[in-house]
Amino acid sequence: MMAVGPFPIRAVVVALAALVAWGVARWLARRKPDAPAKLAGALVTDAFFVGLLVARLAYVLVWWREYAAAPLAIIQIGDGGFVWWAGLAAGIGFVAWRTRAIAILRRPVLTGIAAGVLAWAAAGGALWWMQQSAAPLPDIALTALDGSPVSLGEYAGRPVVVNMWATWCPPCRREMPVLERAQSAYPDVSFVLVNQGEDVATIGKFLTDEGLQLSDILRDPHSRTMVETGARALPTTLYFAADGRLVETHMGELTGASLAHTLRRQFGAHPLSDSLE
């Protein structure tokens, strides 16, 4: 079984890194006479939220074409869309500005931020190592909508995006148009949509009602794909390289921007058009 490391785990890592920064800044401030330790912690907290906001805005600007097609996706921070270096620069700049009149706090706060960044990098490296040791693309026996048997392992040899979904799952339903556009925009990538536990009639009605033209929809009546991959919720999307290695995971609703970003970063894939619109 492979363990899926979705965005929520990364969010926990970021939160822990922020806690490290906060604790180190306060500890160092306490060692300085007359330094307001509580203010040091507050500055770290404020810098953290300023950094998050700027990192998100920078990501939206980079992928503006995709977000312009679905503006509400801008507030879906669960897609993991942040430009970390822009956020870090903004946080440091904020601290420099706020400590211009209380210079005694500048070094403790900046040192705390540095400690938080190191903690974040170390945890991120651990997650990367765990992902590298994950099992390859599982060879699970599935069924096409016409009843013919299909093995998931048949898709090995090219980049594969495996999306686990169900019609009763609202975020699964919302992300289907994104996947439909991606199937047309990235012909060199296989998008395999593995339905979990539903019958042909239910799946067919959903596709007809929504007017979706999707290929490679497979049925997994007993949800073996979730068991084999360690997925804990729907939707979950797994990205496998051509050699079968798991290179990225995402739990939750996909946006056009997050999908395009991951395909470019992991596979070097570019759409046939300028966006997934």
Side-chain angles (χ1 to χ4, degrees):
M1 179 189 296
M2 67 183 69
V4 174
F7 173 74
I9 294 179
R10 295 169 187 160
V12 170
V13 168
V14 171
L16 289 176
L19 184 60
V20 169
W22 180 85
V24 170
R26 282 180 59 101
W27 177 71
L28 290 175
R30 286 197 189 100
R31 300 181 64 186
K32 290 181 174 291
D34 302 322
K38 288 185 178 180
L39 181 56
L43 284 173
V44 170
T45 302
D46 291 345
F48 175 73
F49 285 109
V50 168
L52 278 183
L53 178 61
V54 172
R56 181 61 177 178
L57 291 176
Y59 188 85
V60 170
L61 288 175
V62 171
W63 297 98
W64 176 247
R65 287 180 179 272
E66 283 70 27
Y67 283 114
L72 288 178
I74 292 174
I75 62 175
Q76 293 176 220
I77 62 173
D79 67 1
F82 298 91
V83 178
W84 69 267
W85 58 263
L88 180 60
I92 292 173
F94 173 81
V95 169
W97 174 71
R98 288 283 283 116
T99 56
R100 64 193 188 282
I102 41 175
I104 193 174
L105 287 181
R106 182 169 296 169
R107 180 170 293 181
V109 172
L110 291 179
T111 302
I113 291 175
V117 171
L118 288 175
W120 171 72
L127 286 176
W128 177 86
W129 182 85
M130 290 172 60
Q131 189 162 276
Q132 296 306 303
S133 61
L137 179 68
D139 191 17
I140 301 172
L142 304 170
T143 307
L145 294 185
D146 63 5
S148 59
V150 179
S151 171
L152 192 56
E154 294 176 14
Y155 292 90
R158 62 184 299 179
V160 183
V161 177
V162 177
N163 177 265
M164 286 168 272
W165 68 288
T167 64
W168 50 259
C169 162
C172 299
R173 298 170 69 97
R174 290 194 299 267
E175 73 181 5
M176 282 295 146
V178 173
L179 291 165
E180 180 184 40
R181 292 192 293 270
Q183 282 189 334
S184 299
Y186 296 91
D188 295 331
V189 178
S190 294
F191 293 86
V192 186
L193 282 61
V194 185
N195 180 273
Q196 300 297 293
E198 296 183 301
D199 57 37
V200 173
T202 300
I203 299 170
K205 183 178 186 304
F206 165 71
L207 297 175
T208 300
D209 291 347
E210 299 297 323
L212 294 168
Q213 300 294 322
L214 288 159
S215 58
D216 289 317
I217 296 180
L218 305 179
R219 292 181 57 238
D220 183 2
H222 305 294
S223 300
R224 284 191 57 211
T225 310
M226 293 189 70
V227 174
E228 290 291 328
T229 60
R232 296 174 178 82
L234 297 178
T236 291
T237 305
L238 310 179
Y239 300 79
F240 293 91
D243 60 4
R245 288 180 302 111
L246 177 69
V247 294
E248 184 66 79
T249 66
H250 183 89
M251 187 176 76
E253 183 178 348
L254 288 169
T255 63
S258 66
L259 179 57
H261 182 209
T262 303
L263 293 174
R264 182 178 299 182
R265 178 164 48 87
Q266 296 294 352
F267 304 145
H270 293 267
L272 294 179
S273 58
D274 290 336
S275 71
L276 290 183
E277 296 179 37

